[in-house]
Amino acid sequence: MPMQKESTLDISRRRLLQGGSTALTGLILSSWLPPLVSKSVAAEAATAGRLGDQSIDGFGAFVRVGHDSRVTVISPKIEMGQGMQTGIAMMVAEELEVGLEHVTIQEAPPNTALYADTLMQFQATGGSTSTRYTWEPLRRAGATARILLVQAAALRWRVAPSLCRAENGRVLGPNGQNASYGELVGVAATLPLPTEVPLKTPEQFKLLGTPARRLDTPSKVNGKARFTIDLQIPGMLVASTVTCPVYGGRLRSVDDQQARKILGVRDIVRLENAVAVTASNFWACQQALKALRIEWDLGANVSIDSAQLDEALIEASSRSGVIAKREGDIEQARQQSASQFEAVYEQAMLSHSPLEPISCVAHVRPDGCDLWVGTQVPVFAQQTAARITGLPENKIQVHNQLIGGAFGRRLDFDFITQAVAIARQVDYPIKLIWSREEDMTHDLYRPLYADRLNAALDQQGRPIGWEHRIAGASVLARYIGSLPSSGVDADAVEVAVEPIYHLPNLQVRYIREEPGVVPVSWWRGVGPLRSTYALECFIDELAHNAKADPVTYRLSLMERQPRAQAVLRLLAEKTGWGQPLPAGQGRGIAVSAVFGSYVATMVELEMQGETAFRIKRLVSAVDCGLVINPTSVTAQIEGGTLFGLSASLFNEILIKNGQVQQTNFHSYRQLRISEAPPVEVHLISSLETPGGIGEAGTALIGPALVNALFAASGKRIRRLPLSRMGYYPV
Amino acid sequence: MQTLMINGQSRQVDVPEDMPLLWVLRDVLDMTGTKYGCGIAQCGVCTVHLDGQPIRSCVIPVAAVAGRQITTIEAIDETAVGQAVQRAWLEHEVVQCGYCQSGQIMAATALLQNNPMPDDQAIDTAMAGNLCRCATYTRIRTAIKSVARS
Amino acid sequence: MKLTNILLAFFTGTLVAHSAQAQEDLIRQGEYLARAADCVACHTVPGGKAFAGGVEFKLPFGSLFSPNITPDKETGIGNWTDDEFVSALQKGVGRDGKHYYPAFPYTSYSKMSRDEILTIKAYLGSLEPVQQAARENDIGFPFNQRWGMFFWNLLFHDDEQFQVDNQRSTEWNRGKYLVEGPGHCGECHSPRNLFQAVSSDRSLAGNLIQGWNAYNISSDPVHGIGAWPTEVLADYLKEGMAPGWGVAGGPMAEVVEHSLRHMTDADRQAIAVYLKNTPARSEGVARPAPTTMTEKGDDNALGRKLFADACASCHRWDGSGNQSLAATLIGLKTVNDPAASNLLGMLLSGHGSRDTPVDRRMPSFGTLYNDQELAALSRLILSRFGNNEAHVSEQAVAKRRTESLH
């Protein structure tokens, strides 16, 4: 099958996303849905017909085999620490019958037709979709290549293909014949694609499910790995910016006389809402930025403070909003109830703050533009560069890079836009680097949320009616431009509309409340993080109010959820749930189905005084379906859980006079090794379709922690982070 | 002109005296294994060794290190402990995004060079200045202990 | 005629040039004295226009606001006569005959001569006028009764000008003049009595001012600066730090920034020579004796944790300054003050501005850590680097948060 040319796939971002907005909704709800496209374009394009072709245009979408037998896997997913590329290599290697040591990973260029994630309908890394999406097409690509190589060998040896088999990078014939993939690839590349591509069943797996070393790590322990911020392009200068401290503000004027005198400074570039300095090094940039005398038009947001935002949100959580889900009759349930219980849970605004600050290398020429950047959205990177430069998209090359932490930050391309806007004003490549202060104060933030839950209860304190109102800014609307006509943000209500509990007369309302003072965006855990926190805290309160054991109470409401039950039971067993603890100590749990996986987490903690506590134990039980690389799964649960712990304990972005108050790690606290308990992870062996795991741990720790705090102290905290309420770890 | 002793080699650099060592390494000498994270000594990703002690290169002016022995991640495998730490990091699959790991490895190597058998408290004491946003802390601890045992 | 004209023009020009030169010298002299007197510190709000006033002084009996001393005719001192200006600085009596509160250090400035004071006026007069009306003082009865200051002045103000002591060196005399006159060191460093007057028998013995401890800077070797080598002290006045001896934090950092670093080496040396020769006052916070760097007792795990988390990167566990000389902790009174006044001040507000060199800045930790945490951290620091088992309480931290942090 010939490769489709990119020019025929000129789908603008807006059109793509608007056209696909229900599909994008599907992405968010995808934990519950089969992939919308069973056989992707990409899988078909995984054309072994181009196996040996080394040219950029001609390579197979996912797999390329060189004449030296080396296998290159083109990864549609970027590596940002989650171990995804190793997982993808394993999927291909399993079917292609090669050892992982023969596989090299290469980042896919932007190409919606080839690399769009069928769960999200666009080419991106995020939403814990990577394994779920690649699981089928990548294995199929490997199997296709193997079939063609075997056919090529069979032709050479004049035997039936069925008599040949592939093993460890070679094809073996019935009479001891033996040829390497490299020898066969020339012929294999001319053969028609097979119509049937059977895949291995789990019991045939040799590689999948076994612990594998990550492919990207050796260069990360000796300083050789280059992240975007490390790149050196010939003729390149470093650029750095100071952007208007208030979102929505504009540059009025700048006096750059002093800045220009600083050694190494080349240009001062004015942008609509920022000033950039280019210089031979970052230090000179920073000195020059400090020497600029800038006047801003701070705009309308300058009058906004956090207290106003909090108040407005609490008020919003009582409004009706729009119905996201309605089952049964909540009013009737209330009339029949023995009692009602209501609580509001608040969650803070959060910054991503990955340790690699924002950086992007851009070179704009009259005839083209190159971007070297670690991005979760290469197609958007290409499109924004095309828009800023006026060049056609096929003239924009995106060279995706290793990412030094993203957590959702690099799903946005604001900084790529800025880099291109600077680069088009100079005639040399620039490497834009934001200082940590710029990074933290010009993030796109996880919005504030208020969840108001109200349960109608029977005599035993079990819910017979359930209303969940979710108030907050819509990330989805900001990201794709608008919400579908229903007015429901599918991300914001995920989990809430499909809880693992059997909740009769369920009503979920979504209330969009846009503070507008800062842009909002995806943050590790996305909608499920928010919903799980509110839901799992509330259910815990109901259990305690009913004087029931929190595990038993939950189990009694999840009769139709065998996988959720299993993780909860495993967790209870592994943690000695129910065994008495001394006064001042307590255990808390949370359980949820998130990103296609089932996770239950327990925190055991000990109070030391009124507000100090020590986490004694942190345990997770996980069913993420079939496990590709158990090492990565465990590592993601560990890291994701502690990432969430950091946020639950400390993280909060505050606004004063329209400006973000947290500027660096001295005011935006992060968990450190001395505060990080070991995370015990127990995996359930499963043959179910692989689920996402990168964000699952993050979503569960908050409620488990707060529930444990209640168990130990009797104090129910409904607002995160705990530090705001005076709590701190010792 | 400053003369620096980096990884056993003498390097001449023509930079302002107050330029932090970090930017001399990264932007002048193209030694980018040492990272920038905060610029205020609060994250540790810029850790290098100065006369064998771990320091934050983002807040040390180049003039203050002239003539002293600087070791960076690029040469830490030339020490037995450094090599063992790198091996342990791979063995225990410590790394996630990897951005902080140069600094973690430099801090861990310095710790183990000074204290071959660190207990949990010694590990906390030496490593708490190094942030990891992927939160690989559990494995960092395990890897350090495995080097201590060997 | 023509020649006469030319000659006239020539002479006039020279005369004008000459007087312009004289005026310029006067202004330059005035600028130096104004710096030595650190006028800008009290007459400029952070981020505001220089010398336009408005700085709040929280005193036990209420708040004072400094006036505008730019040459604006309406709101500043543009219309003041020389006599009025001299009277203000020497007698503490304003233009309208009202008495100033002694937050304005006229008791020190009176040591300056009329001519010297007029150079300051010339300098201020050369500045851009800023129209900014003074804020009303907010002082409760009976302290709002300015006429009371008349009696205060009778009791405590000795408006004698500086007298040279011929028994002493010129350097010593210059130092004394700078310390007691324009530098007005005692205004902060000498304890005040019940009436807010500087105690003469406890001069330079140290004083708590808006939460900050202006340490004892008398010649006492333990409590004062007696043990400091003279050149170290002079260098401290220039750099704002002397590793192992002291770091100028809070208001003192501003004194260095706005005043002391602009002075000549000879003047700083003179100040050091004089300070080393003042009457020794053995009171206040003592310099710590060399310490073993071990915390006594093992009950401050939280303090240890926080020091490892946020402090050890720069200050090191041995307090040595290996990372940064400015971060040297050993030898500082600040780590030996049981009240932890300046330690908490530094922790809460940090140190330096964005223009401060990277190895001399400290971020603030006031929002990162709560009162309990900062109390534990302070205890750890006092115990490890000082030799002091003082119990810094969380209430002390909470109180310090409400006090001045600059």
Side-chain angles (χ1 to χ4, degrees), chain C residues 87-129:
Chain C
S87 161
L89 265 73
Q90 287 190 336
K91 298 193 163 55
V93 178
R95 214 181 160 207
D96 46 10
K98 279 188 187 164
H99 288 270
Y100 290 139
Y101 294 98
F104 175 60
Y106 59 89
T107 52
S108 297
Y109 292 161
S110 65
K111 299 281 190 297
M112 289 190 278
S113 70
R114 179 184 172 88
D115 286 352
E116 286 167 330
I117 288 171
L118 288 177
T119 65
I120 297 178
K121 180 164 183 282
Y123 166 65
L124 293 174
S126 74
L127 302 172
E128 194 73 21

Short mmCIF file of all heavy atoms in Angstrom, two decimals, chain C residues 87-129:
data_model
loop_
_atom_site.label_atom_id
_atom_site.label_comp_id
_atom_site.label_asym_id
_atom_site.label_seq_id
_atom_site.Cartn_x
_atom_site.Cartn_y
_atom_site.Cartn_z
N SER C 87 17.41 73.36 61.01
CA SER C 87 16.68 73.20 62.27
C SER C 87 16.06 71.80 62.37
O SER C 87 16.08 71.17 63.42
CB SER C 87 15.60 74.28 62.36
OG SER C 87 14.64 73.90 63.32
N ALA C 88 15.55 71.33 61.26
CA ALA C 88 14.94 70.00 61.26
C ALA C 88 15.98 68.94 61.61
O ALA C 88 15.74 68.05 62.42
CB ALA C 88 14.33 69.70 59.89
N LEU C 89 17.15 69.05 60.99
CA LEU C 89 18.15 68.01 61.21
C LEU C 89 18.88 68.13 62.55
O LEU C 89 19.32 67.15 63.11
CB LEU C 89 19.18 68.00 60.06
CG LEU C 89 18.83 66.98 58.96
CD1 LEU C 89 17.64 67.48 58.14
CD2 LEU C 89 20.01 66.70 58.06
N GLN C 90 19.00 69.37 63.01
CA GLN C 90 19.77 69.53 64.24
C GLN C 90 18.90 69.53 65.48
O GLN C 90 19.32 69.07 66.54
CB GLN C 90 20.58 70.82 64.18
CG GLN C 90 21.76 70.71 63.22
CD GLN C 90 22.70 71.89 63.33
OE1 GLN C 90 22.30 72.98 63.76
NE2 GLN C 90 23.95 71.68 62.93
N LYS C 91 17.70 70.08 65.35
CA LYS C 91 16.87 70.24 66.55
C LYS C 91 15.63 69.36 66.56
O LYS C 91 14.94 69.24 67.56
CB LYS C 91 16.45 71.71 66.68
CG LYS C 91 17.61 72.67 66.85
CD LYS C 91 17.10 74.02 67.29
CE LYS C 91 18.18 74.92 67.88
NZ LYS C 91 19.35 75.14 66.99
N GLY C 92 15.36 68.78 65.40
CA GLY C 92 14.16 67.96 65.34
C GLY C 92 12.90 68.80 65.35
O GLY C 92 11.84 68.34 65.76
N VAL C 93 13.03 70.04 64.92
CA VAL C 93 11.85 70.91 64.86
C VAL C 93 11.54 71.20 63.40
O VAL C 93 12.39 71.67 62.66
CB VAL C 93 12.10 72.23 65.62
CG1 VAL C 93 10.88 73.13 65.50
CG2 VAL C 93 12.41 71.94 67.07
N GLY C 94 10.35 70.88 63.00
CA GLY C 94 9.96 71.02 61.60
C GLY C 94 9.66 72.46 61.24
O GLY C 94 9.67 73.38 62.08
N ARG C 95 9.35 72.65 59.98
CA ARG C 95 9.09 73.94 59.40
C ARG C 95 7.95 74.67 60.11
O ARG C 95 7.96 75.87 60.30
CB ARG C 95 8.65 73.68 57.96
CG ARG C 95 9.09 74.72 57.02
CD ARG C 95 8.57 74.37 55.67
NE ARG C 95 8.58 75.58 54.89
CZ ARG C 95 7.77 75.82 53.89
NH1 ARG C 95 6.88 74.93 53.54
NH2 ARG C 95 7.85 76.95 53.23
N ASP C 96 6.97 73.86 60.49
CA ASP C 96 5.78 74.44 61.12
C ASP C 96 5.96 74.57 62.62
O ASP C 96 5.01 74.83 63.34
CB ASP C 96 4.59 73.53 60.82
CG ASP C 96 4.93 72.07 61.05
OD1 ASP C 96 6.02 71.79 61.63
OD2 ASP C 96 4.13 71.21 60.66
N GLY C 97 7.17 74.34 63.09
CA GLY C 97 7.42 74.44 64.52
C GLY C 97 7.10 73.18 65.29
O GLY C 97 7.32 73.08 66.48
N LYS C 98 6.58 72.18 64.61
CA LYS C 98 6.24 70.93 65.29
C LYS C 98 7.50 70.11 65.55
O LYS C 98 8.44 70.12 64.75
CB LYS C 98 5.29 70.10 64.44
CG LYS C 98 3.85 70.54 64.54
CD LYS C 98 2.96 69.54 63.83
CE LYS C 98 1.53 70.05 63.75
NZ LYS C 98 0.77 69.29 62.76
N HIS C 99 7.46 69.41 66.65
CA HIS C 99 8.61 68.56 66.99
C HIS C 99 8.49 67.21 66.31
O HIS C 99 7.43 66.61 66.29
CB HIS C 99 8.68 68.36 68.52
CG HIS C 99 9.11 69.59 69.23
ND1 HIS C 99 10.44 69.87 69.49
CD2 HIS C 99 8.41 70.64 69.71
CE1 HIS C 99 10.53 71.03 70.12
NE2 HIS C 99 9.31 71.53 70.27
N TYR C 100 9.61 66.73 65.79
CA TYR C 100 9.62 65.39 65.20
C TYR C 100 9.71 64.33 66.27
O TYR C 100 10.19 64.58 67.37
CB TYR C 100 10.83 65.21 64.27
CG TYR C 100 10.73 66.02 63.00
CD1 TYR C 100 11.84 66.67 62.50
CD2 TYR C 100 9.53 66.11 62.30
CE1 TYR C 100 11.77 67.41 61.34
CE2 TYR C 100 9.45 66.85 61.14
CZ TYR C 100 10.57 67.50 60.66
OH TYR C 100 10.49 68.23 59.52
N TYR C 101 9.25 63.18 65.95
CA TYR C 101 9.50 62.03 66.82
C TYR C 101 10.91 61.54 66.56
O TYR C 101 11.41 61.65 65.43
CB TYR C 101 8.49 60.91 66.52
CG TYR C 101 7.08 61.29 66.87
CD1 TYR C 101 6.20 61.74 65.90
CD2 TYR C 101 6.65 61.22 68.19
CE1 TYR C 101 4.90 62.10 66.21
CE2 TYR C 101 5.35 61.58 68.52
CZ TYR C 101 4.47 62.03 67.53
OH TYR C 101 3.21 62.38 67.85
N PRO C 102 11.53 60.98 67.55
CA PRO C 102 12.94 60.63 67.37
C PRO C 102 13.18 59.39 66.50
O PRO C 102 14.31 58.93 66.39
CB PRO C 102 13.45 60.40 68.79
CG PRO C 102 12.25 60.10 69.61
CD PRO C 102 11.09 60.77 68.95
N ALA C 103 12.15 58.88 65.82
CA ALA C 103 12.40 57.88 64.79
C ALA C 103 13.27 58.53 63.73
O ALA C 103 14.10 57.89 63.09
CB ALA C 103 11.09 57.41 64.17
N PHE C 104 13.07 59.85 63.57
CA PHE C 104 13.96 60.61 62.71
C PHE C 104 15.20 60.94 63.54
O PHE C 104 15.08 61.59 64.57
CB PHE C 104 13.24 61.90 62.25
CG PHE C 104 14.12 62.81 61.47
CD1 PHE C 104 14.70 62.39 60.29
CD2 PHE C 104 14.37 64.11 61.92
CE1 PHE C 104 15.53 63.25 59.57
CE2 PHE C 104 15.19 64.96 61.20
CZ PHE C 104 15.77 64.54 60.03
N PRO C 105 16.36 60.47 63.09
CA PRO C 105 17.53 60.50 63.99
C PRO C 105 18.19 61.86 64.07
O PRO C 105 19.40 61.98 63.89
CB PRO C 105 18.45 59.45 63.37
CG PRO C 105 18.13 59.47 61.91
CD PRO C 105 16.66 59.81 61.81
N TYR C 106 17.40 62.89 64.38
CA TYR C 106 18.02 64.23 64.47
C TYR C 106 18.99 64.32 65.63
O TYR C 106 19.89 65.13 65.62
CB TYR C 106 16.94 65.31 64.56
CG TYR C 106 16.00 65.18 65.73
CD1 TYR C 106 16.28 65.77 66.95
CD2 TYR C 106 14.81 64.47 65.59
CE1 TYR C 106 15.40 65.64 68.02
CE2 TYR C 106 13.93 64.34 66.65
CZ TYR C 106 14.23 64.92 67.87
OH TYR C 106 13.38 64.79 68.92
N THR C 107 18.78 63.45 66.63
CA THR C 107 19.74 63.48 67.75
C THR C 107 21.13 63.11 67.26
O THR C 107 22.13 63.53 67.81
CB THR C 107 19.31 62.52 68.87
OG1 THR C 107 19.06 61.24 68.29
CG2 THR C 107 18.05 63.00 69.55
N SER C 108 21.20 62.30 66.18
CA SER C 108 22.50 61.98 65.59
C SER C 108 22.92 63.04 64.58
O SER C 108 24.06 63.49 64.55
CB SER C 108 22.44 60.63 64.87
OG SER C 108 22.16 59.60 65.80
N TYR C 109 21.95 63.43 63.76
CA TYR C 109 22.29 64.36 62.69
C TYR C 109 22.78 65.70 63.23
O TYR C 109 23.46 66.46 62.55
CB TYR C 109 21.09 64.58 61.76
CG TYR C 109 20.73 63.35 60.94
CD1 TYR C 109 19.47 63.23 60.36
CD2 TYR C 109 21.65 62.32 60.73
CE1 TYR C 109 19.12 62.13 59.61
CE2 TYR C 109 21.30 61.21 59.98
CZ TYR C 109 20.04 61.11 59.42
OH TYR C 109 19.71 60.02 58.68
N SER C 110 22.42 65.98 64.47
CA SER C 110 22.85 67.25 65.05
C SER C 110 24.38 67.30 65.19
O SER C 110 24.95 68.37 65.39
CB SER C 110 22.18 67.46 66.40
OG SER C 110 22.63 66.48 67.30
N LYS C 111 25.00 66.14 65.05
CA LYS C 111 26.47 66.13 65.10
C LYS C 111 27.07 66.74 63.83
O LYS C 111 28.25 67.03 63.76
CB LYS C 111 26.99 64.69 65.24
CG LYS C 111 26.54 63.97 66.51
CD LYS C 111 27.38 64.40 67.70
CE LYS C 111 27.14 63.55 68.93
NZ LYS C 111 25.76 63.63 69.46
N MET C 112 26.23 66.87 62.80
CA MET C 112 26.74 67.45 61.55
C MET C 112 26.67 68.97 61.63
O MET C 112 25.78 69.53 62.27
CB MET C 112 25.90 66.96 60.36
CG MET C 112 26.13 65.49 60.03
SD MET C 112 25.36 65.01 58.47
CE MET C 112 23.69 64.72 58.98
N SER C 113 27.60 69.61 60.95
CA SER C 113 27.63 71.07 60.96
C SER C 113 26.57 71.63 60.00
O SER C 113 26.06 70.90 59.13
CB SER C 113 29.01 71.58 60.53
OG SER C 113 29.19 71.32 59.16
N ARG C 114 26.29 72.90 60.16
CA ARG C 114 25.33 73.56 59.27
C ARG C 114 25.75 73.42 57.81
O ARG C 114 24.95 73.09 56.94
CB ARG C 114 25.24 75.05 59.66
CG ARG C 114 24.30 75.84 58.78
CD ARG C 114 24.33 77.33 59.14
NE ARG C 114 23.56 78.07 58.15
CZ ARG C 114 22.25 78.31 58.25
NH1 ARG C 114 21.58 77.86 59.29
NH2 ARG C 114 21.62 78.98 57.30
N ASP C 115 27.04 73.62 57.56
CA ASP C 115 27.51 73.52 56.18
C ASP C 115 27.30 72.13 55.60
O ASP C 115 26.89 71.97 54.45
CB ASP C 115 29.00 73.89 56.10
CG ASP C 115 29.21 75.40 56.26
OD1 ASP C 115 28.17 76.12 56.27
OD2 ASP C 115 30.36 75.82 56.38
N GLU C 116 27.61 71.16 56.43
CA GLU C 116 27.44 69.78 55.95
C GLU C 116 25.97 69.48 55.66
O GLU C 116 25.63 68.87 54.64
CB GLU C 116 27.98 68.79 57.00
CG GLU C 116 29.49 68.76 57.05
CD GLU C 116 30.03 68.03 58.27
OE1 GLU C 116 29.36 68.04 59.33
OE2 GLU C 116 31.11 67.44 58.15
N ILE C 117 25.14 69.93 56.57
CA ILE C 117 23.71 69.69 56.39
C ILE C 117 23.21 70.36 55.11
O ILE C 117 22.40 69.81 54.36
CB ILE C 117 22.92 70.17 57.63
CG1 ILE C 117 23.21 69.21 58.79
CG2 ILE C 117 21.44 70.26 57.35
CD1 ILE C 117 22.67 69.66 60.13
N LEU C 118 23.77 71.55 54.83
CA LEU C 118 23.32 72.25 53.63
C LEU C 118 23.79 71.58 52.34
O LEU C 118 23.16 71.74 51.30
CB LEU C 118 23.74 73.72 53.69
CG LEU C 118 22.93 74.52 54.73
CD1 LEU C 118 23.42 75.97 54.80
CD2 LEU C 118 21.42 74.47 54.41
N THR C 119 24.90 70.82 52.43
CA THR C 119 25.27 70.05 51.23
C THR C 119 24.20 69.01 50.94
O THR C 119 23.87 68.73 49.79
CB THR C 119 26.64 69.35 51.36
OG1 THR C 119 26.57 68.35 52.39
CG2 THR C 119 27.76 70.33 51.63
N ILE C 120 23.67 68.41 52.00
CA ILE C 120 22.59 67.42 51.81
C ILE C 120 21.38 68.10 51.18
O ILE C 120 20.76 67.57 50.26
CB ILE C 120 22.20 66.76 53.16
CG1 ILE C 120 23.39 65.97 53.72
CG2 ILE C 120 20.98 65.87 53.00
CD1 ILE C 120 23.15 65.30 55.05
N LYS C 121 21.10 69.29 51.66
CA LYS C 121 19.96 70.02 51.08
C LYS C 121 20.20 70.30 49.60
O LYS C 121 19.30 70.15 48.76
CB LYS C 121 19.72 71.32 51.84
CG LYS C 121 18.54 72.13 51.30
CD LYS C 121 18.08 73.19 52.28
CE LYS C 121 16.86 73.94 51.76
NZ LYS C 121 17.20 74.96 50.75
N ALA C 122 21.45 70.68 49.30
CA ALA C 122 21.78 70.95 47.90
C ALA C 122 21.58 69.71 47.05
O ALA C 122 21.04 69.76 45.93
CB ALA C 122 23.23 71.43 47.80
N TYR C 123 22.02 68.57 47.61
CA TYR C 123 21.85 67.33 46.87
C TYR C 123 20.37 67.00 46.67
O TYR C 123 19.93 66.72 45.54
CB TYR C 123 22.55 66.17 47.61
CG TYR C 123 22.15 64.82 47.10
CD1 TYR C 123 22.46 64.43 45.78
CD2 TYR C 123 21.44 63.93 47.90
CE1 TYR C 123 22.08 63.19 45.30
CE2 TYR C 123 21.05 62.68 47.42
CZ TYR C 123 21.37 62.32 46.12
OH TYR C 123 20.98 61.11 45.64
N LEU C 124 19.62 67.06 47.74
CA LEU C 124 18.18 66.74 47.62
C LEU C 124 17.52 67.70 46.63
O LEU C 124 16.64 67.32 45.85
CB LEU C 124 17.50 66.81 48.98
CG LEU C 124 17.92 65.74 50.00
CD1 LEU C 124 17.28 66.00 51.36
CD2 LEU C 124 17.56 64.34 49.50
N GLY C 125 17.97 68.95 46.67
CA GLY C 125 17.41 69.95 45.77
C GLY C 125 17.70 69.67 44.31
O GLY C 125 16.99 70.16 43.42
N SER C 126 18.73 68.89 44.06
CA SER C 126 19.11 68.60 42.67
C SER C 126 18.29 67.44 42.10
O SER C 126 18.40 67.12 40.92
CB SER C 126 20.59 68.25 42.60
OG SER C 126 20.81 66.94 43.12
N LEU C 127 17.49 66.80 42.94
CA LEU C 127 16.74 65.62 42.48
C LEU C 127 15.45 66.04 41.78
O LEU C 127 15.00 67.17 41.91
CB LEU C 127 16.39 64.71 43.67
CG LEU C 127 17.57 64.19 44.49
CD1 LEU C 127 17.07 63.48 45.73
CD2 LEU C 127 18.44 63.25 43.65
N GLU C 128 14.89 65.10 41.09
CA GLU C 128 13.60 65.28 40.42
C GLU C 128 12.52 65.45 41.50
O GLU C 128 12.40 64.61 42.39
CB GLU C 128 13.32 64.03 39.59
CG GLU C 128 12.21 64.15 38.59
CD GLU C 128 12.62 65.01 37.40
OE1 GLU C 128 13.84 65.18 37.15
OE2 GLU C 128 11.71 65.52 36.75
N PRO C 129 11.73 66.51 41.46
CA PRO C 129 10.65 66.61 42.45
C PRO C 129 9.59 65.52 42.23
O PRO C 129 9.27 65.21 41.09
CB PRO C 129 10.05 68.00 42.20
CG PRO C 129 10.81 68.61 41.09
CD PRO C 129 11.73 67.61 40.50
#
